[in-house]
Amino acid sequence: MNGRKVLLLTASPRGAASVSRALGEFLLARLEERGMAIKSLPLHPALGDEKRLAELLAAVDMCSLLVVSFPLYVDHLPSPLIELLRQVADRRQGRAGEARQSLAAIVQCGFPETAHCRPAAEVMRLFAAQSGFRFLGCLACGMGGAAGGRELKGTGGVARHQLRALGEAAAFLAEDRELPAEVIARMGRPMMPRWFYNFMADLGWKRQAKKHGTRRALRDRPYAGA
Amino acid sequence: MKAVFLKGSPPAGRDPLCNRAAAAVMAATKARGWEVRSFALAGMDIGPCRGCFSCWLKTPGRCVIADEQEAVLAAAAGSEHFIWLTPVTFGGYSPELKKALDRIIPILLPFFKRVRGETHHPLRYPPFRRRLLVVGTRREDDAEGEEAFRRLVGRNALNMGDAAASAVVFSGDVPLADMERRLGEEPFFAEAAR
């Protein structure tokens, strides 16, 4: 153990099926291998539960490195995560000079292009600056749907760039160093050709709709004329 | 002219500047005779998105969570004009605004289309060309945060059917009359009047 503590905070409502969780847990395991004490907490069970929320906020206070992993929602962070960050920032007002803490982020989206994640990465950087964390970088990737719901080691090589990037990132984060541009770029590499991802995604929607008996209703307009 | 106004101000009284901007928006729409559906999101029962995609697959176009977001969706479906108001929060939106936006995807289709070289979802309802005005407020100047905010608005516009979008940020203690004048100069209002 190197005496440093990492807290993984996953802000996805999807629990065990969450890609954000899988990416975060993969990184967490690599950080543990490098001697960090690890802790993992999901945000959503703490929503509306004061005791759990207090535990989560206390864990944020105690960690040396906070890793926030989340899915992109409408170009941005999910609402509950913004609310949490606002609370964390409020708690940290006037605490300058206390033990140095660092922050890194992981964000993934279902679009094939990683560029969709840029505003969210920027928000995380600004949050860090405004609340006294040292920002070590944001690992972003598109095509999150391709890795959906599986442990990353079981993705059959689809997420190989992301796995390698997370492993490389662990080496920097464990030493409290900023993530280099090449690691961030590797994380953002496509998992497959864009045309193929889009084709499979459209096919996937249609197949799932067939299963639910809604294949002919996908384009329905329930609020037309409202 | 129909507009949907999503007010993402914090709970009552916590952000007077944001409340003043809300009054300026209402004055600007009223002066032009617009029909505005206004939602004060902080006081509304809108739960967090579950990320289940039921709104695309099981009940296409409807969210399976039964709460006040349904009224937002019904209003947003056919409205040409969207106005969002928020305190600029870490260069982005408040959780109050975001809780409604997180669950706006039923007005989109699950399929992909190319928009300006990127992949996006098409709108479910006409009109397929919308207009978006996002009004941000800040107690102090923060050039970096404002730049990030404007970039975010640009990204949102692409995801809302490549909407014609603009962002206005009021910093500091801006009087109501100045806010009204500034908003009146926006293409969002000026072009709609033509």
Side-chain angles (χ1 to χ4, degrees):
Chain A
M1 290 288 164
N2 66 9
R4 298 186 67 238
K5 298 174 189 165
V6 54
L7 170 65
L8 170 65
L9 175 65
T10 305
S12 165
R14 293 174 62 85
S18 161
V19 177
S20 300
R21 178 184 162 278
L23 292 168
E25 293 286 350
F26 186 87
L27 175 64
L28 205 60
R30 304 292 83 74
L31 289 169
E32 187 175 31
E33 288 167 6
R34 291 177 178 277
M36 292 191 82
I38 63 168
K39 187 177 179 81
S40 177
L41 290 172
L43 168 61
H44 282 69
L47 300 176
D49 183 332
E50 283 186 21
K51 192 178 167 205
R52 276 186 155 166
L53 182 62
E55 284 170 10
L56 200 155
L57 289 167
V60 170
D61 287 344
M62 297 293 292
C63 70
S64 336
L65 170 64
L66 173 62
V67 176
V68 182
S69 187
F70 60 96
L72 192 72
Y73 272 24
V74 194
D75 301 300
H76 195 334
L77 283 56
S79 169
L81 178 56
I82 307 171
E83 174 62 43
L84 180 82
L85 297 187
R86 193 163 67 177
Q87 289 189 45
V88 170
D90 286 348
R91 280 164 68 90
R92 295 169 68 87
Q93 289 297 319
R95 285 200 197 170
E98 290 190 6
R100 190 171 89 162
Q101 291 180 286
S102 300
L103 172 73
I106 301 171
V107 53
Q108 55 83 25
C109 72
F111 290 116
E113 302 92 1
T114 299
H116 291 268
C117 299
R118 278 189 202 132
E122 190 67 359
V123 166
M124 291 306 300
R125 187 181 70 79
L126 290 168
F127 160 74
Q130 291 174 26
S131 54
F133 285 95
R134 180 165 171 260
F135 189 58
L136 300 184
C138 180
L139 294 160
C141 69
M143 300 192 179
R150 289 172 285 186
E151 288 300 316
L152 274 177
K153 61 188 176 191
T155 53
V158 168
R160 62 192 179 283
H161 302 305
Q162 287 67 36
L163 297 188
R164 188 173 159 197
L166 289 165
E168 291 170 346
F172 290 88
L173 297 177
E175 294 178 4
D176 204 26
R177 292 160 63 197
E178 284 184 30
L179 297 172
E182 58 265 31
V183 173
I184 291 170
R186 193 185 314 287
M187 184 74 182
R189 285 184 67 176
M191 297 184 195
M192 59 187 72
R194 181 165 70 173
W195 71 265
F196 185 67
Y197 178 83
N198 288 358
F199 173 77
M200 292 305 291
D202 273 1
L203 192 65
W205 295 126
K206 287 170 186 168
R207 279 183 178 162
Q208 289 183 70
K210 192 175 176 185
K211 197 170 72 180
H212 296 300
T214 55
R215 177 69 186 85
R216 290 176 186 277
L218 284 183
R219 294 175 189 273
D220 276 3
R221 293 172 176 169
Y223 301 117
Chain B
M1 207 70 74
K2 281 186 177 178
V4 172
F5 181 21
L6 300 182
K7 289 192 278 188
S9 321
R14 278 178 48 184
D15 192 333
L17 184 63
C18 210
N19 293 339
R20 196 182 305 161
V25 167
M26 289 308 291
T29 54
K30 191 177 175 186
R32 289 158 181 82
W34 286 17
E35 182 188 332
V36 181
R37 292 288 310 277
S38 175
F39 297 93
L41 299 168
M44 291 178 67
D45 173 26
I46 298 176
C49 176
R50 295 176 188 164
C52 64
F53 296 116
S54 292
C55 59
W56 281 347
L57 294 169
K58 292 184 182 173
T59 55
R62 287 185 192 277
C63 180
V64 291
I65 304 172
D67 61 16
E68 293 183 277
Q69 177 70 4
E70 178 152 28
V72 176
L73 288 172
S79 180
E80 186 185 347
H81 292 77
F82 292 135
I83 308 170
W84 302 344
L85 171 68
T86 176
V88 178
T89 308
F90 313 124
Y93 303 153
S94 67
E96 287 79 14
L97 174 61
K98 197 64 191 355
K99 70 179 181 182
L101 298 184
D102 283 355
R103 288 181 47 205
I104 205 85
I105 68 165
I107 72 163
L108 303 174
L109 291 169
F111 307 112
F112 284 149
K113 73 168 193 173
R114 294 288 287 278
V115 178
R116 299 180 190 264
E118 289 180 355
T119 309
H120 293 274
H121 297 290
L123 286 164
R124 183 179 294 272
Y125 300 87
F128 295 111
R129 179 85 169 142
R130 313 262 179 139
R131 304 186 75 89
L132 171 65
L133 172 67
V134 187
V135 180
T137 60
R138 287 178 307 152
R139 283 176 219 155
E140 296 160 5
D141 274 338
D142 170 17
E144 214 177 12
E146 184 169 333
E147 276 176 36
F149 182 79
R150 290 180 184 282
R151 280 195 292 270
L152 174 60
V153 172
R155 298 296 312 177
N156 284 159
L158 288 173
N159 270 328
M160 300 297 289
D162 198 14
S166 53
V168 175
V169 177
F170 294 119
S171 297
D173 192 21
V174 184
L176 179 63
D178 288 0
M179 287 182 171
E180 288 182 26
R181 181 186 48 73
R182 175 73 184 81
L183 288 174
E185 293 166 355
E186 273 302 302
F188 180 84
F189 288 114
E191 288 174 14
R194 284 180 202 147

mmCIF file of all heavy atoms in Angstrom, chain B residues 41-81:
data_model
loop_
_atom_site.group_PDB
_atom_site.id
_atom_site.type_symbol
_atom_site.label_atom_id
_atom_site.label_comp_id
_atom_site.label_asym_id
_atom_site.label_seq_id
_atom_site.Cartn_x
_atom_site.Cartn_y
_atom_site.Cartn_z
ATOM 1 N N LEU B 41 -38.885 24.419 -12.676
ATOM 2 C CA LEU B 41 -38.473 23.023 -12.481
ATOM 3 C C LEU B 41 -38.103 22.679 -11.038
ATOM 4 O O LEU B 41 -38.299 21.542 -10.601
ATOM 5 C CB LEU B 41 -37.297 22.707 -13.413
ATOM 6 C CG LEU B 41 -37.621 22.855 -14.906
ATOM 7 C CD1 LEU B 41 -36.332 22.812 -15.732
ATOM 8 C CD2 LEU B 41 -38.580 21.772 -15.368
ATOM 9 N N ALA B 42 -37.585 23.648 -10.296
ATOM 10 C CA ALA B 42 -37.128 23.346 -8.933
ATOM 11 C C ALA B 42 -38.250 22.768 -8.074
ATOM 12 O O ALA B 42 -38.018 21.896 -7.240
ATOM 13 C CB ALA B 42 -36.557 24.595 -8.273
ATOM 14 N N GLY B 43 -39.466 23.251 -8.306
ATOM 15 C CA GLY B 43 -40.581 22.793 -7.482
ATOM 16 C C GLY B 43 -41.353 21.637 -8.097
ATOM 17 O O GLY B 43 -42.405 21.246 -7.569
ATOM 18 N N MET B 44 -40.851 21.098 -9.182
ATOM 19 C CA MET B 44 -41.607 20.034 -9.865
ATOM 20 C C MET B 44 -41.095 18.648 -9.506
ATOM 21 O O MET B 44 -39.901 18.442 -9.278
ATOM 22 C CB MET B 44 -41.541 20.242 -11.381
ATOM 23 C CG MET B 44 -42.314 21.470 -11.848
ATOM 24 S SD MET B 44 -42.191 21.751 -13.624
ATOM 25 C CE MET B 44 -43.077 20.334 -14.283
ATOM 26 N N ASP B 45 -42.034 17.721 -9.470
ATOM 27 C CA ASP B 45 -41.697 16.331 -9.190
ATOM 28 C C ASP B 45 -41.208 15.680 -10.484
ATOM 29 O O ASP B 45 -41.991 15.172 -11.284
ATOM 30 C CB ASP B 45 -42.943 15.614 -8.655
ATOM 31 C CG ASP B 45 -42.732 14.114 -8.505
ATOM 32 O OD1 ASP B 45 -41.569 13.708 -8.324
ATOM 33 O OD2 ASP B 45 -43.726 13.365 -8.586
ATOM 34 N N ILE B 46 -39.905 15.747 -10.694
ATOM 35 C CA ILE B 46 -39.284 15.146 -11.886
ATOM 36 C C ILE B 46 -38.117 14.298 -11.395
ATOM 37 O O ILE B 46 -37.099 14.822 -10.939
ATOM 38 C CB ILE B 46 -38.797 16.214 -12.885
ATOM 39 C CG1 ILE B 46 -39.984 17.040 -13.399
ATOM 40 C CG2 ILE B 46 -38.053 15.564 -14.052
ATOM 41 C CD1 ILE B 46 -39.594 18.189 -14.313
ATOM 42 N N GLY B 47 -38.260 13.005 -11.471
ATOM 43 C CA GLY B 47 -37.223 12.099 -10.988
ATOM 44 C C GLY B 47 -36.076 11.973 -11.972
ATOM 45 O O GLY B 47 -36.185 12.415 -13.120
ATOM 46 N N PRO B 48 -34.994 11.363 -11.521
ATOM 47 C CA PRO B 48 -33.850 11.198 -12.423
ATOM 48 C C PRO B 48 -34.106 10.138 -13.498
ATOM 49 O O PRO B 48 -34.843 9.178 -13.267
ATOM 50 C CB PRO B 48 -32.718 10.764 -11.502
ATOM 51 C CG PRO B 48 -33.376 10.206 -10.300
ATOM 52 C CD PRO B 48 -34.707 10.877 -10.159
ATOM 53 N N CYS B 49 -33.497 10.353 -14.654
ATOM 54 C CA CYS B 49 -33.599 9.372 -15.746
ATOM 55 C C CYS B 49 -33.011 8.040 -15.280
ATOM 56 O O CYS B 49 -31.986 8.003 -14.607
ATOM 57 C CB CYS B 49 -32.831 9.898 -16.957
ATOM 58 S SG CYS B 49 -32.776 8.738 -18.336
ATOM 59 N N ARG B 50 -33.683 6.941 -15.657
ATOM 60 C CA ARG B 50 -33.199 5.610 -15.273
ATOM 61 C C ARG B 50 -32.269 5.005 -16.321
ATOM 62 O O ARG B 50 -31.755 3.903 -16.130
ATOM 63 C CB ARG B 50 -34.386 4.673 -15.075
ATOM 64 C CG ARG B 50 -35.285 5.069 -13.933
ATOM 65 C CD ARG B 50 -36.500 4.143 -13.876
ATOM 66 N NE ARG B 50 -37.472 4.613 -12.898
ATOM 67 C CZ ARG B 50 -38.731 4.201 -12.851
ATOM 68 N NH1 ARG B 50 -39.173 3.329 -13.725
ATOM 69 N NH2 ARG B 50 -39.555 4.666 -11.941
ATOM 70 N N GLY B 51 -32.135 5.659 -17.454
ATOM 71 C CA GLY B 51 -31.271 5.128 -18.508
ATOM 72 C C GLY B 51 -31.759 3.810 -19.068
ATOM 73 O O GLY B 51 -30.970 2.995 -19.549
ATOM 74 N N CYS B 52 -33.082 3.595 -19.034
ATOM 75 C CA CYS B 52 -33.630 2.289 -19.429
ATOM 76 C C CYS B 52 -34.009 2.225 -20.907
ATOM 77 O O CYS B 52 -34.251 1.135 -21.441
ATOM 78 C CB CYS B 52 -34.851 1.956 -18.573
ATOM 79 S SG CYS B 52 -36.239 3.111 -18.796
ATOM 80 N N PHE B 53 -34.106 3.378 -21.561
ATOM 81 C CA PHE B 53 -34.497 3.479 -22.972
ATOM 82 C C PHE B 53 -35.896 2.938 -23.256
ATOM 83 O O PHE B 53 -36.223 2.656 -24.404
ATOM 84 C CB PHE B 53 -33.458 2.825 -23.894
ATOM 85 C CG PHE B 53 -32.122 3.511 -23.864
ATOM 86 C CD1 PHE B 53 -31.008 2.852 -23.386
ATOM 87 C CD2 PHE B 53 -31.988 4.817 -24.293
ATOM 88 C CE1 PHE B 53 -29.773 3.482 -23.324
ATOM 89 C CE2 PHE B 53 -30.761 5.463 -24.239
ATOM 90 C CZ PHE B 53 -29.653 4.795 -23.759
ATOM 91 N N SER B 54 -36.697 2.772 -22.214
ATOM 92 C CA SER B 54 -38.082 2.354 -22.442
ATOM 93 C C SER B 54 -38.812 3.372 -23.316
ATOM 94 O O SER B 54 -39.688 3.011 -24.100
ATOM 95 C CB SER B 54 -38.822 2.205 -21.113
ATOM 96 O OG SER B 54 -38.308 1.118 -20.391
ATOM 97 N N CYS B 55 -38.439 4.653 -23.175
ATOM 98 C CA CYS B 55 -39.115 5.708 -23.944
ATOM 99 C C CYS B 55 -38.864 5.570 -25.436
ATOM 100 O O CYS B 55 -39.554 6.202 -26.250
ATOM 101 C CB CYS B 55 -38.685 7.085 -23.450
ATOM 102 S SG CYS B 55 -36.909 7.387 -23.572
ATOM 103 N N TRP B 56 -37.875 4.794 -25.813
ATOM 104 C CA TRP B 56 -37.631 4.522 -27.229
ATOM 105 C C TRP B 56 -38.153 3.148 -27.645
ATOM 106 O O TRP B 56 -38.515 2.952 -28.790
ATOM 107 C CB TRP B 56 -36.126 4.586 -27.520
ATOM 108 C CG TRP B 56 -35.590 5.990 -27.644
ATOM 109 C CD1 TRP B 56 -36.313 7.139 -27.773
ATOM 110 C CD2 TRP B 56 -34.219 6.393 -27.675
ATOM 111 N NE1 TRP B 56 -35.492 8.216 -27.864
ATOM 112 C CE2 TRP B 56 -34.206 7.799 -27.818
ATOM 113 C CE3 TRP B 56 -33.015 5.706 -27.602
ATOM 114 C CZ2 TRP B 56 -33.014 8.521 -27.881
ATOM 115 C CZ3 TRP B 56 -31.833 6.431 -27.669
ATOM 116 C CH2 TRP B 56 -31.829 7.816 -27.810
ATOM 117 N N LEU B 57 -38.160 2.202 -26.691
ATOM 118 C CA LEU B 57 -38.390 0.813 -27.082
ATOM 119 C C LEU B 57 -39.698 0.213 -26.579
ATOM 120 O O LEU B 57 -40.361 -0.525 -27.315
ATOM 121 C CB LEU B 57 -37.232 -0.055 -26.569
ATOM 122 C CG LEU B 57 -35.886 0.237 -27.218
ATOM 123 C CD1 LEU B 57 -34.765 -0.455 -26.469
ATOM 124 C CD2 LEU B 57 -35.891 -0.184 -28.677
ATOM 125 N N LYS B 58 -40.066 0.489 -25.339
ATOM 126 C CA LYS B 58 -41.271 -0.149 -24.779
ATOM 127 C C LYS B 58 -42.507 0.715 -24.945
ATOM 128 O O LYS B 58 -43.598 0.213 -25.211
ATOM 129 C CB LYS B 58 -41.058 -0.464 -23.292
ATOM 130 C CG LYS B 58 -40.021 -1.539 -23.036
ATOM 131 C CD LYS B 58 -39.934 -1.863 -21.544
ATOM 132 C CE LYS B 58 -38.855 -2.900 -21.285
ATOM 133 N NZ LYS B 58 -38.628 -3.113 -19.844
ATOM 134 N N THR B 59 -42.365 2.012 -24.743
ATOM 135 C CA THR B 59 -43.489 2.950 -24.860
ATOM 136 C C THR B 59 -43.035 4.111 -25.741
ATOM 137 O O THR B 59 -42.871 5.233 -25.243
ATOM 138 C CB THR B 59 -43.899 3.478 -23.471
ATOM 139 O OG1 THR B 59 -42.740 4.059 -22.831
ATOM 140 C CG2 THR B 59 -44.444 2.361 -22.588
ATOM 141 N N PRO B 60 -42.794 3.886 -27.029
ATOM 142 C CA PRO B 60 -42.116 4.896 -27.864
ATOM 143 C C PRO B 60 -42.717 6.302 -27.734
ATOM 144 O O PRO B 60 -43.913 6.502 -27.943
ATOM 145 C CB PRO B 60 -42.297 4.346 -29.277
ATOM 146 C CG PRO B 60 -42.402 2.868 -29.088
ATOM 147 C CD PRO B 60 -43.163 2.695 -27.807
ATOM 148 N N GLY B 61 -41.855 7.225 -27.346
ATOM 149 C CA GLY B 61 -42.271 8.620 -27.224
ATOM 150 C C GLY B 61 -42.749 9.004 -25.840
ATOM 151 O O GLY B 61 -42.981 10.180 -25.573
ATOM 152 N N ARG B 62 -42.921 8.036 -24.952
ATOM 153 C CA ARG B 62 -43.368 8.320 -23.579
ATOM 154 C C ARG B 62 -42.355 7.773 -22.585
ATOM 155 O O ARG B 62 -41.864 6.660 -22.760
ATOM 156 C CB ARG B 62 -44.700 7.633 -23.276
ATOM 157 C CG ARG B 62 -45.904 8.232 -23.945
ATOM 158 C CD ARG B 62 -47.162 7.524 -23.441
ATOM 159 N NE ARG B 62 -48.319 7.850 -24.232
ATOM 160 C CZ ARG B 62 -49.067 8.939 -24.066
ATOM 161 N NH1 ARG B 62 -48.770 9.780 -23.095
ATOM 162 N NH2 ARG B 62 -50.095 9.179 -24.845
ATOM 163 N N CYS B 63 -42.127 8.538 -21.523
ATOM 164 C CA CYS B 63 -41.268 8.047 -20.442
ATOM 165 C C CYS B 63 -42.109 7.168 -19.520
ATOM 166 O O CYS B 63 -43.282 7.454 -19.279
ATOM 167 C CB CYS B 63 -40.692 9.228 -19.662
ATOM 168 S SG CYS B 63 -39.615 8.731 -18.294
ATOM 169 N N VAL B 64 -41.501 6.103 -19.009
ATOM 170 C CA VAL B 64 -42.255 5.188 -18.142
ATOM 171 C C VAL B 64 -42.355 5.696 -16.699
ATOM 172 O O VAL B 64 -43.094 5.125 -15.899
ATOM 173 C CB VAL B 64 -41.641 3.758 -18.135
ATOM 174 C CG1 VAL B 64 -41.835 3.096 -19.473
ATOM 175 C CG2 VAL B 64 -40.173 3.786 -17.727
ATOM 176 N N ILE B 65 -41.623 6.741 -16.372
ATOM 177 C CA ILE B 65 -41.721 7.304 -15.020
ATOM 178 C C ILE B 65 -42.927 8.253 -14.995
ATOM 179 O O ILE B 65 -42.994 9.197 -15.784
ATOM 180 C CB ILE B 65 -40.447 8.080 -14.633
ATOM 181 C CG1 ILE B 65 -39.203 7.191 -14.775
ATOM 182 C CG2 ILE B 65 -40.557 8.624 -13.211
ATOM 183 C CD1 ILE B 65 -37.884 7.939 -14.602
ATOM 184 N N ALA B 66 -43.870 7.965 -14.133
ATOM 185 C CA ALA B 66 -45.091 8.783 -14.059
ATOM 186 C C ALA B 66 -44.860 9.952 -13.108
ATOM 187 O O ALA B 66 -44.966 9.800 -11.886
ATOM 188 C CB ALA B 66 -46.260 7.924 -13.592
ATOM 189 N N ASP B 67 -44.498 11.094 -13.653
ATOM 190 C CA ASP B 67 -44.331 12.291 -12.829
ATOM 191 C C ASP B 67 -44.565 13.521 -13.702
ATOM 192 O O ASP B 67 -45.111 13.409 -14.805
ATOM 193 C CB ASP B 67 -42.963 12.302 -12.132
ATOM 194 C CG ASP B 67 -41.785 12.313 -13.103
ATOM 195 O OD1 ASP B 67 -42.016 12.609 -14.298
ATOM 196 O OD2 ASP B 67 -40.655 12.031 -12.692
ATOM 197 N N GLU B 68 -44.146 14.666 -13.228
ATOM 198 C CA GLU B 68 -44.499 15.913 -13.914
ATOM 199 C C GLU B 68 -43.696 16.179 -15.192
ATOM 200 O O GLU B 68 -43.938 17.157 -15.880
ATOM 201 C CB GLU B 68 -44.364 17.088 -12.942
ATOM 202 C CG GLU B 68 -45.400 17.030 -11.834
ATOM 203 C CD GLU B 68 -45.331 18.238 -10.903
ATOM 204 O OE1 GLU B 68 -44.493 18.211 -9.976
ATOM 205 O OE2 GLU B 68 -46.110 19.184 -11.109
ATOM 206 N N GLN B 69 -42.752 15.317 -15.497
ATOM 207 C CA GLN B 69 -42.009 15.482 -16.752
ATOM 208 C C GLN B 69 -42.931 15.278 -17.956
ATOM 209 O O GLN B 69 -42.676 15.812 -19.030
ATOM 210 C CB GLN B 69 -40.842 14.487 -16.818
ATOM 211 C CG GLN B 69 -40.032 14.521 -18.113
ATOM 212 C CD GLN B 69 -39.180 15.785 -18.295
ATOM 213 O OE1 GLN B 69 -39.126 16.631 -17.411
ATOM 214 N NE2 GLN B 69 -38.534 15.913 -19.436
ATOM 215 N N GLU B 70 -44.006 14.549 -17.765
ATOM 216 C CA GLU B 70 -44.906 14.304 -18.904
ATOM 217 C C GLU B 70 -45.437 15.626 -19.464
ATOM 218 O O GLU B 70 -45.559 15.783 -20.681
ATOM 219 C CB GLU B 70 -46.062 13.387 -18.503
ATOM 220 C CG GLU B 70 -47.018 13.172 -19.680
ATOM 221 C CD GLU B 70 -47.756 11.856 -19.645
ATOM 222 O OE1 GLU B 70 -47.964 11.336 -18.547
ATOM 223 O OE2 GLU B 70 -48.140 11.382 -20.742
ATOM 224 N N ALA B 71 -45.739 16.578 -18.586
ATOM 225 C CA ALA B 71 -46.233 17.877 -19.047
ATOM 226 C C ALA B 71 -45.152 18.611 -19.846
ATOM 227 O O ALA B 71 -45.453 19.285 -20.846
ATOM 228 C CB ALA B 71 -46.676 18.717 -17.858
ATOM 229 N N VAL B 72 -43.905 18.460 -19.427
ATOM 230 C CA VAL B 72 -42.798 19.092 -20.150
ATOM 231 C C VAL B 72 -42.683 18.480 -21.551
ATOM 232 O O VAL B 72 -42.537 19.187 -22.550
ATOM 233 C CB VAL B 72 -41.463 18.927 -19.382
ATOM 234 C CG1 VAL B 72 -40.293 19.491 -20.180
ATOM 235 C CG2 VAL B 72 -41.544 19.601 -18.015
ATOM 236 N N LEU B 73 -42.773 17.167 -21.609
ATOM 237 C CA LEU B 73 -42.658 16.482 -22.903
ATOM 238 C C LEU B 73 -43.797 16.871 -23.843
ATOM 239 O O LEU B 73 -43.578 17.114 -25.032
ATOM 240 C CB LEU B 73 -42.660 14.967 -22.697
ATOM 241 C CG LEU B 73 -41.395 14.381 -22.071
ATOM 242 C CD1 LEU B 73 -41.605 12.909 -21.738
ATOM 243 C CD2 LEU B 73 -40.205 14.556 -23.004
ATOM 244 N N ALA B 74 -45.005 16.919 -23.306
ATOM 245 C CA ALA B 74 -46.159 17.264 -24.138
ATOM 246 C C ALA B 74 -46.000 18.667 -24.709
ATOM 247 O O ALA B 74 -46.314 18.922 -25.876
ATOM 248 C CB ALA B 74 -47.445 17.154 -23.315
ATOM 249 N N ALA B 75 -45.485 19.589 -23.888
ATOM 250 C CA ALA B 75 -45.300 20.966 -24.347
ATOM 251 C C ALA B 75 -44.147 21.065 -25.347
ATOM 252 O O ALA B 75 -44.211 21.812 -26.331
ATOM 253 C CB ALA B 75 -45.039 21.876 -23.151
ATOM 254 N N ALA B 76 -43.088 20.307 -25.094
ATOM 255 C CA ALA B 76 -41.885 20.411 -25.935
ATOM 256 C C ALA B 76 -42.076 19.747 -27.298
ATOM 257 O O ALA B 76 -41.418 20.130 -28.265
ATOM 258 C CB ALA B 76 -40.692 19.772 -25.225
ATOM 259 N N ALA B 77 -42.984 18.773 -27.357
ATOM 260 C CA ALA B 77 -43.097 17.968 -28.576
ATOM 261 C C ALA B 77 -43.266 18.829 -29.832
ATOM 262 O O ALA B 77 -42.540 18.653 -30.813
ATOM 263 C CB ALA B 77 -44.265 16.991 -28.441
ATOM 264 N N GLY B 78 -44.203 19.763 -29.803
ATOM 265 C CA GLY B 78 -44.487 20.509 -31.031
ATOM 266 C C GLY B 78 -44.055 21.957 -30.992
ATOM 267 O O GLY B 78 -44.377 22.722 -31.895
ATOM 268 N N SER B 79 -43.327 22.332 -29.957
ATOM 269 C CA SER B 79 -42.956 23.741 -29.827
ATOM 270 C C SER B 79 -41.737 24.074 -30.683
ATOM 271 O O SER B 79 -40.750 23.358 -30.673
ATOM 272 C CB SER B 79 -42.657 24.047 -28.357
ATOM 273 O OG SER B 79 -42.310 25.399 -28.233
ATOM 274 N N GLU B 80 -41.831 25.198 -31.401
ATOM 275 C CA GLU B 80 -40.702 25.582 -32.253
ATOM 276 C C GLU B 80 -39.603 26.261 -31.440
ATOM 277 O O GLU B 80 -38.435 26.189 -31.795
ATOM 278 C CB GLU B 80 -41.199 26.535 -33.345
ATOM 279 C CG GLU B 80 -40.120 26.880 -34.361
ATOM 280 C CD GLU B 80 -40.572 27.912 -35.371
ATOM 281 O OE1 GLU B 80 -41.787 28.180 -35.437
ATOM 282 O OE2 GLU B 80 -39.703 28.450 -36.076
ATOM 283 N N HIS B 81 -40.001 26.929 -30.364
ATOM 284 C CA HIS B 81 -39.043 27.719 -29.586
ATOM 285 C C HIS B 81 -38.828 27.128 -28.197
ATOM 286 O O HIS B 81 -39.788 26.910 -27.463
ATOM 287 C CB HIS B 81 -39.535 29.158 -29.435
ATOM 288 C CG HIS B 81 -39.537 29.922 -30.723
ATOM 289 N ND1 HIS B 81 -40.506 29.753 -31.691
ATOM 290 C CD2 HIS B 81 -38.665 30.840 -31.204
ATOM 291 C CE1 HIS B 81 -40.226 30.553 -32.705
ATOM 292 N NE2 HIS B 81 -39.118 31.211 -32.443
#
